Amino acid sequence: QVQLVESGGGLVQAGGSLRLSCAASGRAFSWYDLAWFRQAPRKQRELVAVINSGNSTVYPDSEKSRFTISRDNAKNTVYLQMNSLKPEDTAVYFCAGTRYWIGDYESSSFDYWGQGTQVTVSS
């Protein structure tokens, strides 16, 4: 069982940066594949980035090259560095985890979720 708590969201101007953090409690954090999703109003939840237990990363959308996912297993924390933010990046950002990620982009592939943190980018 893994519990996830996000932090670091807020209001930022377009072109700015934010770093989101997701602190995990529970056992064997380093064994888990972790991801960031986001959900904008009236839109489906979408995968932003994945980092697996071997530190390999996946970014489903080339647009999200502005984002970098990383993890610190000693701190039981996964991060999302977001640069050159745009108003369309406005969403609730969720941290998610699973023991074995099957490689798809579906939220149903992840078993554990945080409560989300709001990111608002003003123009």
Side-chain angles (χ1 to χ4, degrees), residues 42-120:
R42 297 174 299 281
K43 292 190 175 181
Q44 289 192 336
R45 193 169 296 189
E46 64 171 346
L47 180 64
V48 174
V50 180
I51 185 165
N52 69 12
S53 58
N55 270 341
S56 295
T57 58
V58 173
Y59 300 92
D61 185 345
S62 61
E63 164 69 6
K64 299 184 180 68
S65 62
R66 299 175 288 116
F67 298 168
T68 302
I69 189 171
S70 61
R71 65 193 296 166
D72 185 337
N73 290 336
K75 295 183 178 179
N76 278 16
T77 302
V78 60
Y79 304 98
L80 184 68
Q81 177 68 42
M82 305 186 293
N83 299 325
S84 302
L85 283 162
K86 304 176 181 180
E88 50 264 45
D89 294 319
T90 295
V92 178
Y93 284 72
F94 297 90
C95 176
T98 185
R99 183 66 180 86
Y100 297 109
W101 179 47
I102 63 173
D104 67 4
Y105 299 163
E106 302 300 320
S107 58
S108 58
S109 295
F110 290 83
D111 304 306
Y112 305 104
W113 291 85
Q115 81 289 349
T117 186
Q118 176 71 47
V119 171
T120 303

